Amino acid sequence: MRTSSQRSKLDQKPILEKKLRVLIDLDGVVRDFVGSLIRVYNRIHPEHTIQAVNSRRLEDFFPIGPAIYKFMEPGFAEEIIENAPPLPGALEALRHWKNEYEIVIVTSQPENIRALTYSWIGKHDLPTNEVHITFQKTAIDGAVLLDDFTDNLQEFADSGRLAICLDQ
């Protein structure tokens, strides 16, 4: 029987380092969902004027009000989600951080676009082995949260962890 010093490197299990778990939101942090929504909406309703979107209450910024959520249902959801570009520098930052941190994607998504979101993550080869779709981001184990939604950040900070706001 060989001793561990006699084993080839291929026979040895890799030593797993415990990396700091960083939770990263998707929309508004990595993916430009709002920009994609506006682009599709403007194509269909070129006569409408959209106000600058600065909160999750999309109905406040689009002339069709609450009907904006119906607009995003099947028909346009695929185009909006699949064609949403990454935000400038986001993929580069994640790829840079992957060697230092365990990157965990945490995002809140309606049921009807979850499969599209997984597809988008694969299409852009996000450096993560873990994705959580949840409205309770504080339930996910992690030391840091990068998000653009202040309610999520406040809840996370209230749990005693570091919350970092990325304002697009």
Side-chain angles (χ1 to χ4, degrees):
M1 179 174 218
R2 290 187 200 169
T3 64
S4 62
S5 62
Q6 295 173 320
R7 291 185 191 163
S8 78
K9 288 185 178 183
L10 295 175
D11 290 339
Q12 296 177 10
K13 288 183 181 180
I15 297 171
L16 299 177
E17 296 177 32
K18 184 80 170 158
K19 295 180 181 177
L20 186 69
R21 287 173 56 91
V22 177
L23 311 182
I24 300 178
D25 180 39
L26 195 59
D27 292 318
V29 175
V30 179
R31 176 171 65 187
D32 188 7
F33 166 76
V34 170
S36 188
L37 171 61
I38 290 170
R39 188 174 48 261
V40 173
Y41 184 88
N42 281 337
R43 191 183 79 240
I44 305 304
H45 299 288
E47 71 284 3
H48 289 184
T49 301
I50 302 166
Q51 297 176 26
V53 177
N54 60 13
S55 83
R56 284 189 172 195
R57 294 182 44 87
L58 297 175
E59 66 272 19
D60 293 344
F61 309 101
F62 289 83
I64 61 174
I68 191 62
Y69 300 106
K70 285 280 187 200
F71 179 84
M72 293 186 291
E73 289 183 357
F76 293 116
E78 293 84 3
E79 182 179 358
I80 293 165
I81 298 301
E82 290 178 356
N83 295 332
L87 286 162
L91 297 180
E92 296 80 3
L94 292 178
R95 290 182 183 126
H96 177 76
W97 295 337
K98 75 178 182 179
N99 294 324
E100 293 182 50
Y101 306 106
E102 183 180 349
I103 297 171
V104 179
I105 301 298
V106 292
T107 183
S108 303
Q109 304 286 312
E111 189 78 32
N112 66 317
I113 66 166
R114 290 179 180 184
L116 298 170
T117 293
Y118 285 119
S119 176
W120 191 93
I121 290 168
K123 174 182 174 181
H124 294 282
D125 195 24
L126 268 60
T128 186
N129 291 321
E130 194 172 336
V131 176
H132 295 270
I133 297 181
T134 178
F135 291 95
Q136 299 298 319
K137 295 180 181 182
T138 56
I140 308 304
D141 180 39
V144 180
L145 171 66
L146 279 68
D147 205 316
D148 63 324
F149 188 52
T150 55
D151 289 354
N152 291 336
L153 293 164
Q154 188 60 58
E155 278 185 32
F156 202 79
D158 288 348
S159 73
R161 298 177 281 174
L162 180 61
I164 300 173
C165 184
L166 293 177
D167 184 21
Q168 300 298 329

